[in-house]
């Protein structure tokens, strides 16, 4: 593990961007560092400089707020703060449900939701749920601010659209229309382990029947990046949701994913499990949508 | 390239210059000699290195010492008061929850944070609370009983107090 490097603690996002421009690719941002330190220890990265956002910038990006339109979560909010937030519980309880699955209490106490997304580990819990929720990410660079929808944020394994001088500042989660339901399903070898497969489904129904007005499916841990199952979503809108339709959707999702093998399971197994977990998440989301 | 880290450990202010790559666990053990904090996996999985930062349980192998700058850290050495063991430490003895002892420091500190937040946890909540701490003697039953007993005793104590 590389132990000798520059260590800088900017006070603001603006200062952080300035430092990142100065240092270029040789700098790495550290938020909670729950994944970054592993990479450092294993020699997968050896930065010339770490730019610590947690120590001071978390004051600027440590908020959770809500208005009529959306829930806004500052990128440096810890997993535990999301989990314990009464506002999140009221506005978007699925995020509380999801956070309880992340690693363990200690890691959730220190790790941040923004750090988790920027690490771009395909097996993260938040990404598929945020895909199902149509989350938008706010990104700040030295010159300008921009937004990216979460499904476009991930480029490759551990790689995002962030430029070297940009910082993720906010996660925006639009409020759901009435008669919406969201559910998250994950499979892992042990509670607290990284998911082998995880899926999230969000469904909105027409006002009076079981006809679908909107659906979104996020899948994690399957390929190189978190994945939105667009083809599977395709045939759902405008149709009445029943068991046969749900099965069809799950089958299409299993076809369209591009699974990569890992040390525990084969590609074939992953496809089968996508089928099972999309079906379960969809059924669960539907039940919740009906209940309102 | 050393940087100064200044923090309060078990109530005592400390200041040392460290290489930025030093983890808090290494800082506690090798700079301050507080070897009660154990390094097991050094990968954030086993929980043996758990300490409290500003009252919250965290894995000190997964935090840089510099990130704890200005914070208050409690290690296992800081639990006993005036030579009297903390109730959790007593309960560990009473229930034989120590076993080989390697997970004990982290397990007790995780339990302390759990009870501070939720004074009367169910067995399920205790299991959830300590899921980041591995005991390779596989003796979780005694550990869970020990934590429960402290909650029970406190509850009984409060009732007597009324």
């Amino acid at each position: 593990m590389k132990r000798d490097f520059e260590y800088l603690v900017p006070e603001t996002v603006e200062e952080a961007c300035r430092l990142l421009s100065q240092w270029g690719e040789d700098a790495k941002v550290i938020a909670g560092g729950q994944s970054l330190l592993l990479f450092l220890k294993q020699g997968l990265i050896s930065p010339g400089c770490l730019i610590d956002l947690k120590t001071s910038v978390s004051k600027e990006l440590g908020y959770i707020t809500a208005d009529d339109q959306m829930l806004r979560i500052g990128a440096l909010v810890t997993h535990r703060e999301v989990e314990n937030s009464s506002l999140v519980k009221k506005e978007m309880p699925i995020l509380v449900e999801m956070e309880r699955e992340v690693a363990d209490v200690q890691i959730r106490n220190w790790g941040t939701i923004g750090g988790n997304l920027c690490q771009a580990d395909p097996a993260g819990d938040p990404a598929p749920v945020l895909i199902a929720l149509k989350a938008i990410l706010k990104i700040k660079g030295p010159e300008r601010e921009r937004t990216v929808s979460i499904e476009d944020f991930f480029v490759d394994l551990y790689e995002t659209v962030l430029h070297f001088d940009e910082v993720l500042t906010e996660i925006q989660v639009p409020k759901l229309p009435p008669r919406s339901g969201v559910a998250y399903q994950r499979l892992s070898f042990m509670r607290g382990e990284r998911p082998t497969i995880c899926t999230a489904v969000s469904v909105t129904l027409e006002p009076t029947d079981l006809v679908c007005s909107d659906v979104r499916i996020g899948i994690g841990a399957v390929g190189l990046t978190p994945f939105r199952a667009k083809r599977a979503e395709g045939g759902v809108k405008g149709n009445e949701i029943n068991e046969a339709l749900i099965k069809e959707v799950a089958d299409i999702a299993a076809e369209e994913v591009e699974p990569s093998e890992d040390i525990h399971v084969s590609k074939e197994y992953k496809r089968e499990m996508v089928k099972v977990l999309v079906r379960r998440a969809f059924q669960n989301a539907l039940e919740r949508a009906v209940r309102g | 390239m050393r940087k100064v880290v200044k923090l309060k450990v078990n109530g005592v202010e400390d200041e040392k210059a460290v290489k930025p790559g030093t983890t808090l666990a290494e800082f506690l053990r090798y700079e301050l000699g507080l070897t009660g904090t154990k390094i097991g996996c050094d990968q954030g999985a086993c929980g043996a290195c758990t300490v409290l930062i500003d009252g919250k349980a965290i894995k000190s192998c997964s935090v840089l010492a510099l990130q704890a700058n200005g914070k208050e850290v409690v290690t296992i050495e800081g639990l006993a008061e005036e030579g009297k063991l903390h109730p959790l430490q007593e309960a560990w003895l009473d229930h034989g929850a120590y076993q080989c002892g390697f997970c004990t420091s982290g397990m007790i500190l995780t339990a302390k944070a759990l009870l501070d937040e939720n004074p009367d946890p169910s067995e399920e909540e205790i299991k959830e609370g300590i899921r980041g701490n591995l005991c390779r003697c596989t003796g979780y039953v005694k550990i869970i009983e020990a934590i429960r007993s402290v909650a029970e005793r406190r509850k009984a104590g409060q009732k007597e107090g009324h």
Side-chain angles (χ1 to χ4, degrees):
Chain A
M1 174 177 169
K2 185 171 176 180
R3 290 173 190 280
D4 247 340
F5 41 78
E6 182 57 89
Y7 190 86
L8 300 171
V9 186
E11 290 292 323
T12 61
V13 176
E14 211 183 304
E15 191 189 342
C17 293
R18 211 175 323 124
L19 291 173
L20 284 166
S21 325
Q22 283 165 16
W23 277 86
E25 303 277 1
D26 202 24
K28 281 263 173 246
V29 167
I30 180 167
Q34 301 298 287
S35 309
L36 190 92
L37 282 196
L38 278 179
F39 272 42
L40 205 60
K41 286 177 186 182
Q42 290 169 2
L44 293 170
I45 53 167
S46 62
C49 173
L50 278 191
I51 295 179
D52 171 354
L53 298 192
K54 187 177 171 84
T55 297
S56 293
V57 180
S58 56
K59 288 195 277 286
E60 188 180 338
L61 300 182
Y63 56 86
I64 303 177
T65 62
D67 58 25
D68 303 343
Q69 310 291 317
M70 60 177 68
L71 181 71
R72 294 167 198 269
I73 302 174
L76 292 169
V77 170
T78 65
H79 293 290
R80 205 78 208 293
E81 284 163 350
V82 176
E83 178 188 347
N84 289 339
S85 157
S86 49
L87 190 61
V88 176
K89 196 176 172 189
K90 180 172 151 258
E91 301 289 341
M92 210 56 77
I94 187 69
L95 291 178
V96 174
E97 221 176 282
M98 174 277 290
E99 287 291 6
R100 289 195 177 131
E101 301 296 332
V102 173
D104 51 56
V105 172
Q106 292 100 310
I107 287 177
R108 299 204 296 275
N109 273 335
W110 199 258
T112 67
I113 187 160
N116 176 293
L117 295 175
C118 293
Q119 176 69 13
D121 184 330
D125 287 284
V129 175
L130 291 170
I131 288 174
L133 292 172
K134 302 184 186 179
I136 291 164
L137 304 180
K138 209 160 117 186
I139 294 166
K140 203 165 177 178
E143 303 297 330
R144 66 191 184 109
E145 215 167 32
R146 61 178 175 134
T147 54
V148 169
S149 88
I150 181 139
E151 73 213 55
D152 298 325
F153 183 66
F154 306 102
V155 176
D156 205 338
L157 194 65
Y158 305 117
E159 204 179 316
T160 69
V161 299
L162 285 177
H163 295 299
F164 67 89
D165 55 0
E166 286 182 319
V167 171
L168 171 66
T169 55
E170 184 177 277
I171 298 122
Q172 305 178 339
V173 187
K175 287 203 176 170
L176 293 161
R179 299 198 86 213
S180 296
V182 196
Y184 181 52
Q185 287 279 333
R186 87 204 280 282
L187 177 75
S188 65
F189 287 90
M190 210 171 79
R191 276 310 291 282
E193 279 293 313
R194 290 149 55 86
T196 303
I197 290 284
C198 52
T199 65
V201 176
S202 125
V203 182
T204 303
L205 300 173
E206 294 291 353
T208 52
D209 48 28
L210 289 183
V211 173
C212 173
S213 68
D214 204 1
V215 65
R216 197 58 81 97
I217 303 169
I219 301 176
V222 67
L224 298 177
T225 65
F227 182 79
R228 178 180 164 203
K230 282 187 193 165
R231 256 179 59 208
E233 293 169 8
V236 187
K237 256 191 217 181
N239 286 316
E240 189 182 292
I241 303 174
N242 52 37
E243 232 169 273
L245 182 76
I246 291 176
K247 190 181 170 301
E248 202 185 311
V249 168
D251 288 349
I252 299 173
E255 277 169 27
E256 76 177 300
V257 292
E258 292 168 28
S260 44
E261 247 163 12
D262 64 37
I263 55 166
H264 298 300
V265 297
S266 65
K267 293 177 184 180
E268 293 75 19
Y269 181 78
K270 279 193 176 178
R271 274 194 208 282
E272 278 307 305
M273 287 306 109
V274 165
K275 219 181 274 185
V276 173
L277 294 191
V278 167
R279 200 181 62 224
R280 286 184 190 160
F282 204 147
Q283 278 164 344
N284 195 353
L286 177 65
E287 284 160 22
R288 290 175 175 183
V290 169
R291 265 184 274 140
Chain B
M1 203 183 307
R2 287 177 177 256
K3 293 261 171 183
V4 174
V5 53
K6 195 174 163 185
L7 39 73
K8 203 184 237 184
V9 181
N10 301 328
V12 180
E13 292 266 13
D14 244 302
E15 197 178 316
K16 287 234 157 48
V18 297
K19 288 186 177 173
T22 308
T23 65
L24 180 59
E26 292 165 338
F27 180 81
L28 294 169
R29 287 178 60 86
Y30 310 136
E31 298 290 334
L32 303 185
L34 295 171
T35 51
T37 301
K38 303 300 177 195
I39 298 177
C41 68
D42 202 22
Q43 294 186 11
C46 78
C49 66
T50 300
V51 300
L52 305 183
I53 296 185
D54 291 344
K56 292 194 177 76
I58 63 99
K59 292 179 174 176
S60 62
C61 80
S62 299
V63 172
L64 293 174
L66 283 166
Q67 288 206 301
N69 206 8
K71 307 221 181 279
E72 216 161 296
V73 177
V74 174
T75 69
I76 193 71
E77 288 91 343
L79 284 195
E81 275 177 34
E82 292 164 22
K84 201 172 169 294
L85 290 179
H86 186 276
L88 277 163
Q89 292 170 309
E90 290 282 1
W92 243 251
L93 281 175
D94 294 345
H95 288 82
Y98 276 96
Q99 302 173 100
C100 92
F102 201 81
C103 75
T104 302
S105 311
M107 199 69 92
I108 287 182
L109 288 162
T110 302
K112 180 178 186 315
L114 170 72
L115 292 180
D116 287 346
E117 202 177 281
N118 178 2
D120 190 19
S122 66
E123 189 179 322
E124 236 5 83
E125 287 169 329
I126 292 172
K127 284 182 185 169
E128 275 297 311
I130 63 170
R131 91 179 187 209
N133 294 74
L134 301 184
C135 161
R136 286 300 82 157
C137 305
T138 72
Y140 293 102
V141 172
K142 293 171 177 183
I143 290 167
I144 292 164
E145 284 172 359
I147 298 171
R148 251 329 291 162
S149 77
V150 173
E152 293 291 346
R153 204 165 309 157
R154 281 186 182 162
K155 232 167 46 175
Q158 268 172 6
K159 270 183 197 150
E160 275 167 33
H162 278 300

